[in-house]
Amino acid sequence: MISLYRPGNSLLHRMPVGIKLLALIFVLAMLTIGTDLWWVALARAFAVVALYFLASFGFKELGQQVWRIKLLVLFVLVPGLVFQSPLTAVTNTLALVYGILVATLVTMTTKSSAIVDLIARITKSRSFALLIALSLNSVALVSAYANQIVDASKARGVRPKPIRQVVNLFVISLRNADQYGEALAARGVEA
């Protein structure tokens, strides 16, 4: 299973998974408040930077995470600029970015198995926990496939075309889903 987890010994790495997930829910809920205030956006930026440093990742890792979601940022920001005031569009987009960065930080400091175990204990359902684990894994997997498609285009000297990349990503994702289904069926896991 592909995981975003990065081994470490920071305070965030050592924090119990339940507390991290509750904190994540709280942070995501707080991101819906005061989204149109520039000073709130600035305070959130400082908080996100502080969390990445607390996890011993720093500016380089934070920059890489922001770079990975650049297309999503444009996809949200451009329509926002068309239909909202510039300040509202920017602060709403920043709230989304902060939420993604904090969620990514939780997955980078928490083993997938710990999240699955907690969900299995809470729901009393190992199948549901497995579903959550596969969902978390799929996000990382699709991101890795997208990067491979771009790299393959560059290696062939072909300028990447968005529609071709989306079709390739769709085909690869479906192939992977079939392989997952076959592997689960072989292990006796029912849908």
Side-chain angles (χ1 to χ4, degrees), residues 123-190:
T123 63
K124 306 285 191 243
S125 171
R126 196 74 190 169
S127 296
F128 182 73
L130 180 60
L131 174 68
I132 297 298
L134 290 174
S135 299
L136 290 172
N137 181 48
S138 296
V139 172
L141 207 56
V142 170
S143 176
Y145 290 153
N147 290 334
Q148 288 173 0
I149 291 168
V150 170
D151 291 344
S153 294
K154 288 179 183 176
R156 289 191 307 269
V158 177
R159 188 170 149 246
K161 294 182 180 177
I163 191 69
R164 186 176 292 158
Q165 290 176 314
V166 169
V167 170
N168 286 339
L169 184 60
F170 187 69
V171 169
I172 291 170
S173 297
L174 286 177
R175 188 179 317 135
N176 181 60
D178 284 342
Q179 290 171 351
Y180 258 137
E182 290 171 7
L184 291 172
R187 288 168 179 78
V189 177
E190 296 179 15

Side-chain angles (χ1 to χ4, degrees), residues 2-149:
I2 294 176
S3 174
L4 295 177
Y5 177 71
R6 309 269 175 84
N9 196 29
S10 71
L11 176 64
L12 290 179
H13 282 88
R14 295 189 312 265
M15 188 180 292
V17 65
I19 292 174
K20 281 193 258 193
L21 293 179
L22 287 175
L24 176 62
I25 291 168
F26 176 77
V27 166
L28 294 177
M30 291 290 97
L31 287 175
T32 63
I33 299 171
T35 56
D36 58 344
L37 302 172
W38 67 268
W39 60 270
V40 172
L42 187 62
R44 289 176 178 158
F46 282 124
V48 169
V49 170
L51 286 171
Y52 271 76
F53 273 91
L54 189 61
S56 301
F57 291 130
F59 284 119
K60 182 179 180 187
E61 183 63 42
L62 180 59
Q64 289 174 344
Q65 295 305 323
V66 170
W67 183 252
R68 286 186 179 132
I69 60 171
K70 63 188 176 294
L71 294 177
L72 176 64
V73 170
L74 288 175
F75 185 73
V76 172
L77 181 62
V78 170
L81 290 171
V82 171
F83 297 108
Q84 301 171 326
S85 71
L87 180 62
T88 302
V90 169
T91 53
N92 284 341
T93 302
L94 286 175
L96 175 68
V97 169
Y98 299 150
I100 292 170
L101 291 174
V102 172
T104 300
L105 185 62
V106 169
T107 59
M108 288 181 359
T109 59
T110 311
K111 291 182 179 178
S112 296
S113 59
I115 296 172
V116 170
D117 290 342
L118 176 68
I119 293 170
R121 283 196 313 270
I122 291 171
T123 63
K124 306 285 191 243
S125 171
R126 196 74 190 169
S127 296
F128 182 73
L130 180 60
L131 174 68
I132 297 298
L134 290 174
S135 299
L136 290 172
N137 181 48
S138 296
V139 172
L141 207 56
V142 170
S143 176
Y145 290 153
N147 290 334
Q148 288 173 0
I149 291 168

